[in-house]
């Protein structure tokens, strides 16, 4: 086989065999195929797409590029959740303990920040003492004991994805349906859970901005997962504005704790209930989504979800007192109000820009090995549909006091808001549920 010929074949719209896909991916991982040829190959896929069979072969090749985690040492049906990436997406911190408190088993490997979106691992590390880099044996032990553990995805999990993603990130080939589907599903399949609930985001803050593309991505991932013998459900949800009010690390942990107390933002709570009920359904814990919702809501009310978070923090070496006293989380140096330049109604918030602004304040890395400031971030005071007076705060910036970061961030943040005279409806949040049986639109 010849790399040039295979690039040309895909460029001209041809269908690649399993062996041809393996040749390209394995050659690239081994360093035998240079970046420039892989970049051209990825761009050819971007324009020509892939047949479902090619996409499955790509995914499975990436799964087998590294360790495949065997979770059979943990008893019962293990269920995972994955979001395609959003801004202020605090979901996992609430969902994992709540599902575990409701009879599910969550042995989850999770990521760091990606592009303009945050990472659950970074958020967890803002809890003093919390360990996310645990050996497999410890991870299994914790899940067997308390039915939940959240750890950092290891570098040996789907290394092909890691290498390809880094190249896609700098060659404008991230937003390709077959490439995203293979990237996400290779990691999920390698991570070993029996069931997976996917939260496929659509809207301005998502990688798939159009609903029809999100739907195709969801169907592609469900087909790949079910084809590999797992139970998979995907929900398509909105990322038109940030989720909840908090965007950052420590402040998202605080938001998660509030939500488990029943005092969280409605959009975040509703999303947790919708995803969680599907996790319980595919786990066989409940007979219907509605029954799952009832159980989850009860376990917020009676505090069992919050108690499970406390156990999780304790088992992973963190300071569990944060559950009762969030002032034990890293505190920022200076809080600054961002005031509205005019009176009116919030009509639109560009979630992508808000994500970038939060990183400008120090909540993200500029270079791979940078340290994150866990205490900084953005707390929204106004969301779409809210009325605002001139000079009233749109948000509170949690900052380190460095004006050279704060001023450009403030300008960018204000420009992310559109404020007008007419009141607008809150945008649609749930779009569809995609399962093996078909698509249900909400
Ligand atoms: N998240 C991933 O893990 N991979 C992608 O390609 C896009 C989002
Ligand atoms: Ca949030």
């Amino acid at each position: 086989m010849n790399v040039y010929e295979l690039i040309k074949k895909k460029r001209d719209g041809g269908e690649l065999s399993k062996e041809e896909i393996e040749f390209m991916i394995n050659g690239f991982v081994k360093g035998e195929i240079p970046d420039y040829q892989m970049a051209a190959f990825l761009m050819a896929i971007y324009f020509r797409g892939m047949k479902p069979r090619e996409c499955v072969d790509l995914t499975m090749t990436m799964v087998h590029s590294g360790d495949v985690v065997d979770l059979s040492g943990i008893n019962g049906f293990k269920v995972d959740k994955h979001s395609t990436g959003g801004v202020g997406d605090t979901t996992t911190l609430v969902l994992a303990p709540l599902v575990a408190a409701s009879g599910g088993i969550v042995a989850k490997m999770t990521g760091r920040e990606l592009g303009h979106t945050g990472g659950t691992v970074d958020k967890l590390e803002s809890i003093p003492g919390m360990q996310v880099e645990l050996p497999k044996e410890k991870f299994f032990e914790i899940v067997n004991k308390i039915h939940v553990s959240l750890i950092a995805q290891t570098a040996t999990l789907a290394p092909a994805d890691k290498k390809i993603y880094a190249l896609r990130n700098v060659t404008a080939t991230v937003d390709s349906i077959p490439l995203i589907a293979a990237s996400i599903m290779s990691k999920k399949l390698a991570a070993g859970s029996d069931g997976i609930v996917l939260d496929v985001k659509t809207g301005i803050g998502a990688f798939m901005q159009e609903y029809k593309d999100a739907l195709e991505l969801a169907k592609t991932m469900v087909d790949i997962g079910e084809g590999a013998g797992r139970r998979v459900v995907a929900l398509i949800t909105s990322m038109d504005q940030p989720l909840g009010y908090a965007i950052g690390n420590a402040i998202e942990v605080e938001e998660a704790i509030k939500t488990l107390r029943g005092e969280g933002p409605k959009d975040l709570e509703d999303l947790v209930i919708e995803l969680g009920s599907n996790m319980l359904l595919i786990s066989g814990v409940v007979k219907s989504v509605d029954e799952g919702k009832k159980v989850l809501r009860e376990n917020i009310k009676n505090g069992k979800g919050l108690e499970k978070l406390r156990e999780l923090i304790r088992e992973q070496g963190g300071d569990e007192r944060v559950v009762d006293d969030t002032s034990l989380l890293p505190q920022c140096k200076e809080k600054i109000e961002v005031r509205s330049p005019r009176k009116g109604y919030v009509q639109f918030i560009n979630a992508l820009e808000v994500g970038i602004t939060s990183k400008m304040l120090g909540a993200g890395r500029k270079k791979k090995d940078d340290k994150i400031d866990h205490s900084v971030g953005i707390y929204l005071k106004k969301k779409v549909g809210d009325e605002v007076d001139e000079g009233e705060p749109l948000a509170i910036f949690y900052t380190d006091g460095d004006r050279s970061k704060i001023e450009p961030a403030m300008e960018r943040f204000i420009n992310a808001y559109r404020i007008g005279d007419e009141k607008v409806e809150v945008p649609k949040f749930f779009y569809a549920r995609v399962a093996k049986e078909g698509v249900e639109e909400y």
Side-chain angles (χ1 to χ4, degrees), residues 45-52 54-55 84 175-182 184-185 198 200-202 208-225 232 234-237 431-435 439 441:
I45 294 174
Y46 179 91
F47 280 113
R48 290 297 188 168
M50 280 186 139
K51 291 261 159 42
E54 290 177 285
C55 204
T84 60
D175 49 343
S176 147
I177 291 169
L179 295 179
I180 296 178
I184 291 175
M185 292 311 288
L198 299 163
V200 178
K201 302 288 195 191
T202 184
M208 289 289 113
Q209 299 196 342
E210 301 290 331
Y211 168 66
K212 70 168 188 11
D213 295 331
L215 181 61
E216 195 187 328
L217 176 62
K219 285 181 182 166
T220 306
M221 292 196 289
V222 168
D223 286 346
I224 293 171
V232 188
L235 300 182
I236 301 179
T237 72
Y431 285 85
R433 177 182 188 273
V434 182
V439 178
E441 292 192 329

Side-chain angles (χ1 to χ4, degrees), residues 82-85 114 161 165 168 174 179-181 183-184 187 207:
H82 185 83
S83 154
T84 60
L114 197 61
D161 175 62
Y165 195 93
R168 287 168 59 210
V174 169
L179 295 179
I180 296 178
S183 165
I184 291 175
K187 288 175 285 197
F207 291 111

Side-chain angles (χ1 to χ4, degrees), residues 21 31 39 121 130 139 210 219 285 289 374 391 414 439:
I21 290 169
V121 165
M130 189 78 176
F139 176 56
E210 301 290 331
K219 285 181 182 166
V285 172
V289 168
H374 289 108
I414 288 171
V439 178

